[in-house]
Amino acid sequence: MGLRVRIYYEDTDSGGIVYHSNYIKFCERARSEIVFASGIEFNDSRHFVVTKLEAHYLKPAVLGDILDVQTKLVKVGGVSLTLAQDIYKVANIKGECERELIFRAKVVVGFISDGKLSRLEPEFARVFGQLNEY
């Protein structure tokens, strides 16, 4: 499952280049959209937190670009999921571009239930596991 993101002025510095922290936000949005699309209910007593993040910035995105955030399940642990998230530039402001990998992240998210790290509920593993079937 992918999430399309257009780069707006608010996402960039004065030179029109995307702030480094926004790539992390785009990955967060993609993970959240996966859960929202599944129909699983998130609330203040049942959610994920990032416990580890490894980020590789390969090329910059700029004002007007359209990005595609791809998420893949790497590993299911007892209380966590490890995900690979790649961001591709798929179009520039003119709608031209070859699909190009510009950012790569490995994210470990821990499952929180009632305020503490808890055993991963099977439905979450299934939802993220379905990502690898496409």
Side-chain angles (χ1 to χ4, degrees):
M1 178 177 190
L3 173 71
R4 290 284 169 116
V5 176
R6 167 149 336 246
I7 302 303
Y8 295 99
Y9 185 72
E10 68 186 16
D11 299 318
T12 68
D13 62 17
S14 62
I17 296 173
V18 173
Y19 290 113
H20 71 282
S21 61
N22 284 338
Y23 295 94
I24 307 302
K25 290 179 184 181
F26 302 151
C27 288
E28 173 66 33
R29 291 177 195 166
R31 292 190 306 273
S32 294
E33 286 297 331
I34 291 164
V35 175
F36 297 153
S38 76
I40 294 174
E41 185 180 323
F42 261 151
N43 56 48
D44 58 350
S45 66
R46 184 174 174 227
H47 58 276
F48 285 105
V49 294
V50 172
T51 60
K52 186 176 181 181
L53 175 83
E54 185 178 309
H56 299 275
Y57 299 88
L58 306 171
K59 292 194 172 184
V62 298
L63 182 64
D65 284 350
I66 297 176
L67 308 180
D68 181 33
V69 184
Q70 292 291 316
T71 304
K72 182 178 179 184
L73 178 65
V74 174
K75 179 181 172 187
V76 177
V79 297
S80 66
L81 298 172
T82 302
L83 303 166
Q85 292 191 276
D86 292 336
I87 299 179
Y88 295 87
K89 178 178 174 178
V90 295
N92 62 20
I93 199 164
K94 296 178 183 177
E96 308 162 337
C97 181
E98 294 289 323
R99 185 176 180 84
E100 179 178 22
L101 181 63
I102 63 168
F103 177 84
R104 179 163 267 175
K106 181 177 172 184
V107 183
V108 179
V109 292
F111 182 68
I112 300 291
S113 181
D114 296 323
K116 58 186 172 190
L117 202 56
S118 300
R119 194 127 189 87
L120 182 66
E121 293 180 10
E123 64 185 321
F124 284 104
R126 275 194 302 276
V127 166
F128 283 93
Q130 291 171 358
L131 299 173
N132 297 352
E133 296 174 7
Y134 298 104

PDB file of all heavy atoms in Angstrom, residues 58-72:
ATOM      1  N   LEU A  58      18.640   9.831   0.424  1.00  0.00           N
ATOM      2  CA  LEU A  58      19.382   9.543  -0.799  1.00  0.00           C
ATOM      3  C   LEU A  58      19.420  10.727  -1.759  1.00  0.00           C
ATOM      4  O   LEU A  58      20.463  11.034  -2.328  1.00  0.00           O
ATOM      5  CB  LEU A  58      18.779   8.311  -1.482  1.00  0.00           C
ATOM      6  CG  LEU A  58      18.671   7.074  -0.578  1.00  0.00           C
ATOM      7  CD1 LEU A  58      17.865   5.986  -1.257  1.00  0.00           C
ATOM      8  CD2 LEU A  58      20.051   6.590  -0.184  1.00  0.00           C
ATOM      9  N   LYS A  59      18.274  11.381  -1.961  1.00  0.00           N
ATOM     10  CA  LYS A  59      18.172  12.550  -2.839  1.00  0.00           C
ATOM     11  C   LYS A  59      17.075  13.448  -2.297  1.00  0.00           C
ATOM     12  O   LYS A  59      16.118  12.963  -1.699  1.00  0.00           O
ATOM     13  CB  LYS A  59      17.829  12.137  -4.267  1.00  0.00           C
ATOM     14  CG  LYS A  59      18.935  11.391  -4.959  1.00  0.00           C
ATOM     15  CD  LYS A  59      18.673  11.307  -6.442  1.00  0.00           C
ATOM     16  CE  LYS A  59      19.926  10.724  -7.093  1.00  0.00           C
ATOM     17  NZ  LYS A  59      19.797  10.688  -8.533  1.00  0.00           N
ATOM     18  N   PRO A  60      17.167  14.751  -2.531  1.00  0.00           N
ATOM     19  CA  PRO A  60      16.140  15.647  -1.993  1.00  0.00           C
ATOM     20  C   PRO A  60      14.866  15.673  -2.844  1.00  0.00           C
ATOM     21  O   PRO A  60      14.909  15.467  -4.052  1.00  0.00           O
ATOM     22  CB  PRO A  60      16.816  17.014  -2.028  1.00  0.00           C
ATOM     23  CG  PRO A  60      17.779  16.918  -3.166  1.00  0.00           C
ATOM     24  CD  PRO A  60      18.265  15.491  -3.164  1.00  0.00           C
ATOM     25  N   ALA A  61      13.767  15.933  -2.181  1.00  0.00           N
ATOM     26  CA  ALA A  61      12.512  16.260  -2.860  1.00  0.00           C
ATOM     27  C   ALA A  61      12.380  17.775  -2.806  1.00  0.00           C
ATOM     28  O   ALA A  61      12.926  18.421  -1.900  1.00  0.00           O
ATOM     29  CB  ALA A  61      11.332  15.597  -2.173  1.00  0.00           C
ATOM     30  N   VAL A  62      11.658  18.343  -3.755  1.00  0.00           N
ATOM     31  CA  VAL A  62      11.519  19.795  -3.828  1.00  0.00           C
ATOM     32  C   VAL A  62      10.056  20.185  -4.028  1.00  0.00           C
ATOM     33  O   VAL A  62       9.199  19.345  -4.323  1.00  0.00           O
ATOM     34  CB  VAL A  62      12.392  20.399  -4.949  1.00  0.00           C
ATOM     35  CG1 VAL A  62      13.872  20.135  -4.683  1.00  0.00           C
ATOM     36  CG2 VAL A  62      11.994  19.867  -6.310  1.00  0.00           C
ATOM     37  N   LEU A  63       9.809  21.468  -3.888  1.00  0.00           N
ATOM     38  CA  LEU A  63       8.482  22.042  -4.033  1.00  0.00           C
ATOM     39  C   LEU A  63       7.796  21.538  -5.303  1.00  0.00           C
ATOM     40  O   LEU A  63       8.373  21.568  -6.385  1.00  0.00           O
ATOM     41  CB  LEU A  63       8.597  23.569  -4.071  1.00  0.00           C
ATOM     42  CG  LEU A  63       7.293  24.347  -4.164  1.00  0.00           C
ATOM     43  CD1 LEU A  63       6.446  24.129  -2.921  1.00  0.00           C
ATOM     44  CD2 LEU A  63       7.583  25.826  -4.351  1.00  0.00           C
ATOM     45  N   GLY A  64       6.571  21.024  -5.142  1.00  0.00           N
ATOM     46  CA  GLY A  64       5.778  20.553  -6.271  1.00  0.00           C
ATOM     47  C   GLY A  64       5.915  19.080  -6.578  1.00  0.00           C
ATOM     48  O   GLY A  64       5.085  18.520  -7.308  1.00  0.00           O
ATOM     49  N   ASP A  65       6.940  18.415  -6.056  1.00  0.00           N
ATOM     50  CA  ASP A  65       7.116  16.988  -6.326  1.00  0.00           C
ATOM     51  C   ASP A  65       5.941  16.178  -5.773  1.00  0.00           C
ATOM     52  O   ASP A  65       5.284  16.576  -4.809  1.00  0.00           O
ATOM     53  CB  ASP A  65       8.393  16.448  -5.661  1.00  0.00           C
ATOM     54  CG  ASP A  65       9.668  16.840  -6.385  1.00  0.00           C
ATOM     55  OD1 ASP A  65       9.583  17.385  -7.512  1.00  0.00           O
ATOM     56  OD2 ASP A  65      10.746  16.589  -5.821  1.00  0.00           O
ATOM     57  N   ILE A  66       5.719  15.035  -6.392  1.00  0.00           N
ATOM     58  CA  ILE A  66       4.767  14.066  -5.857  1.00  0.00           C
ATOM     59  C   ILE A  66       5.570  12.838  -5.461  1.00  0.00           C
ATOM     60  O   ILE A  66       6.361  12.317  -6.246  1.00  0.00           O
ATOM     61  CB  ILE A  66       3.678  13.696  -6.882  1.00  0.00           C
ATOM     62  CG1 ILE A  66       2.856  14.945  -7.218  1.00  0.00           C
ATOM     63  CG2 ILE A  66       2.782  12.586  -6.325  1.00  0.00           C
ATOM     64  CD1 ILE A  66       1.814  14.734  -8.289  1.00  0.00           C
ATOM     65  N   LEU A  67       5.360  12.425  -4.210  1.00  0.00           N
ATOM     66  CA  LEU A  67       6.087  11.292  -3.648  1.00  0.00           C
ATOM     67  C   LEU A  67       5.134  10.127  -3.402  1.00  0.00           C
ATOM     68  O   LEU A  67       3.936  10.321  -3.187  1.00  0.00           O
ATOM     69  CB  LEU A  67       6.746  11.697  -2.332  1.00  0.00           C
ATOM     70  CG  LEU A  67       7.607  12.958  -2.351  1.00  0.00           C
ATOM     71  CD1 LEU A  67       8.183  13.209  -0.965  1.00  0.00           C
ATOM     72  CD2 LEU A  67       8.689  12.876  -3.395  1.00  0.00           C
ATOM     73  N   ASP A  68       5.688   8.933  -3.395  1.00  0.00           N
ATOM     74  CA  ASP A  68       4.948   7.719  -3.088  1.00  0.00           C
ATOM     75  C   ASP A  68       5.670   7.024  -1.943  1.00  0.00           C
ATOM     76  O   ASP A  68       6.840   6.659  -2.081  1.00  0.00           O
ATOM     77  CB  ASP A  68       4.890   6.817  -4.323  1.00  0.00           C
ATOM     78  CG  ASP A  68       4.117   5.533  -4.081  1.00  0.00           C
ATOM     79  OD1 ASP A  68       3.155   5.553  -3.291  1.00  0.00           O
ATOM     80  OD2 ASP A  68       4.479   4.509  -4.690  1.00  0.00           O
ATOM     81  N   VAL A  69       4.990   6.879  -0.806  1.00  0.00           N
ATOM     82  CA  VAL A  69       5.565   6.235   0.370  1.00  0.00           C
ATOM     83  C   VAL A  69       5.092   4.778   0.398  1.00  0.00           C
ATOM     84  O   VAL A  69       3.894   4.514   0.498  1.00  0.00           O
ATOM     85  CB  VAL A  69       5.142   6.943   1.677  1.00  0.00           C
ATOM     86  CG1 VAL A  69       5.839   6.312   2.878  1.00  0.00           C
ATOM     87  CG2 VAL A  69       5.403   8.442   1.603  1.00  0.00           C
ATOM     88  N   GLN A  70       6.030   3.855   0.304  1.00  0.00           N
ATOM     89  CA  GLN A  70       5.731   2.421   0.305  1.00  0.00           C
ATOM     90  C   GLN A  70       6.160   1.813   1.642  1.00  0.00           C
ATOM     91  O   GLN A  70       7.238   2.137   2.145  1.00  0.00           O
ATOM     92  CB  GLN A  70       6.469   1.720  -0.833  1.00  0.00           C
ATOM     93  CG  GLN A  70       5.963   2.104  -2.201  1.00  0.00           C
ATOM     94  CD  GLN A  70       4.571   1.577  -2.455  1.00  0.00           C
ATOM     95  OE1 GLN A  70       4.260   0.425  -2.147  1.00  0.00           O
ATOM     96  NE2 GLN A  70       3.719   2.418  -3.026  1.00  0.00           N
ATOM     97  N   THR A  71       5.324   0.945   2.179  1.00  0.00           N
ATOM     98  CA  THR A  71       5.580   0.318   3.475  1.00  0.00           C
ATOM     99  C   THR A  71       5.542  -1.192   3.317  1.00  0.00           C
ATOM    100  O   THR A  71       4.626  -1.724   2.690  1.00  0.00           O
ATOM    101  CB  THR A  71       4.530   0.755   4.511  1.00  0.00           C
ATOM    102  OG1 THR A  71       4.527   2.193   4.587  1.00  0.00           O
ATOM    103  CG2 THR A  71       4.813   0.169   5.879  1.00  0.00           C
ATOM    104  N   LYS A  72       6.514  -1.862   3.911  1.00  0.00           N
ATOM    105  CA  LYS A  72       6.590  -3.321   3.839  1.00  0.00           C
ATOM    106  C   LYS A  72       6.938  -3.874   5.222  1.00  0.00           C
ATOM    107  O   LYS A  72       7.809  -3.347   5.911  1.00  0.00           O
ATOM    108  CB  LYS A  72       7.661  -3.728   2.831  1.00  0.00           C
ATOM    109  CG  LYS A  72       7.800  -5.216   2.644  1.00  0.00           C
ATOM    110  CD  LYS A  72       8.839  -5.543   1.586  1.00  0.00           C
ATOM    111  CE  LYS A  72       8.972  -7.039   1.431  1.00  0.00           C
ATOM    112  NZ  LYS A  72      10.021  -7.401   0.495  1.00  0.00           N
TER     113      LYS A  72
END
